[in-house]
Amino acid sequence: MKYLEEKIRAEGVVLPGHVLKVGHFANHQIDIALLREMARELARLYADAGVTKVLTIEASGIALAAAAALEMNVPMVFAKKNATANVSGEVYRAQVASFTHKRVYDVIVPKEYLSADDCVLIVDDFLAQGNALNGLIDIVGESGASVAGCGIIIEKGFQGGGDALRAKGIRVESLAIVESMDADTGVITFRGE
Ligand code: 5GP
């Protein structure tokens, strides 16, 4: 999405450690008009994929996942990062190493929310090394459901997670793919430029 790339270039902040901050429009404060366009784009890309559910991971994937699910008229489910007292019963569980927080989380989805009949679109705000998506893909696999593909706001292409998933045959649609970014100069380039 050209407009998204322009917005990232104009407003994104490149931090040391390969972290891009877009909290003022994409994942903390959210530009609702942009969110609607991104959700419509994912719904268009996956229109013929037979998606029955949208799955994401808390917290920052939830906005796009909910908006995409609304466009596709299917339920949205999010994986919780730690089992809490109000998650009872049987759960699917995977371990995810957090890129931004440098720790490993257990992520869980109650078994009642995914079944073998489901065809799942997995959504997240960022794709870096692919740990979050791989955890969610494992959970979908455990449930017997199929993965329609992944829908991402910003893939950092230089970190390799997206291309590794594509090499495994998983469809990954990223609305913007950052090919390089420099914390000293703030210069960002996108795939295909
Ligand atoms: P991965 O698991 O693919 O290595 O990293 C993706 C996850 O880490 C996403 O759920 C996202 O929340 C977080 N993340 C990775 N890179 C960035 C980044 O540059 N900026 C922000 N805000 N989050 C990131």
Side-chain angles (χ1 to χ4, degrees), residues 19-106:
V19 173
L20 178 61
K21 260 195 88 176
V22 286
H24 41 305
F25 67 90
N27 56 13
H28 199 160
Q29 169 173 271
I30 291 172
D31 178 329
I32 289 297
L34 175 61
L35 182 72
R36 186 188 295 119
E37 289 313 309
M38 294 192 296
R40 285 186 177 155
E41 180 63 1
L42 288 184
R44 187 186 68 76
L45 289 166
Y46 283 98
D48 299 323
V51 172
T52 63
K53 230 158 244 187
V54 178
L55 175 67
T56 189
I57 188 166
E58 69 175 355
S60 46
I62 291 176
L64 179 62
L70 188 62
E71 288 294 328
M72 301 174 98
N73 201 24
V74 297
M76 185 278 276
V77 177
F78 64 93
K80 289 202 173 194
K81 278 186 179 148
N82 287 297
T84 53
N86 57 0
V87 177
S88 55
E90 292 281 289
V91 295
Y92 300 116
R93 189 182 294 272
Q95 288 208 320
V96 172
S98 164
F99 178 79
T100 37
H101 298 113
K102 310 286 176 224
R103 51 168 289 204
V104 176
Y105 293 97
D106 261 7

Side-chain angles (χ1 to χ4, degrees), residues 18-20 27 60 99-100 124-126 128-132 156:
H18 303 307
V19 173
L20 178 61
N27 56 13
S60 46
F99 178 79
T100 37
D124 205 0
D125 60 339
F126 272 91
Q129 292 162 342
N131 295 315
K156 290 180 291 176

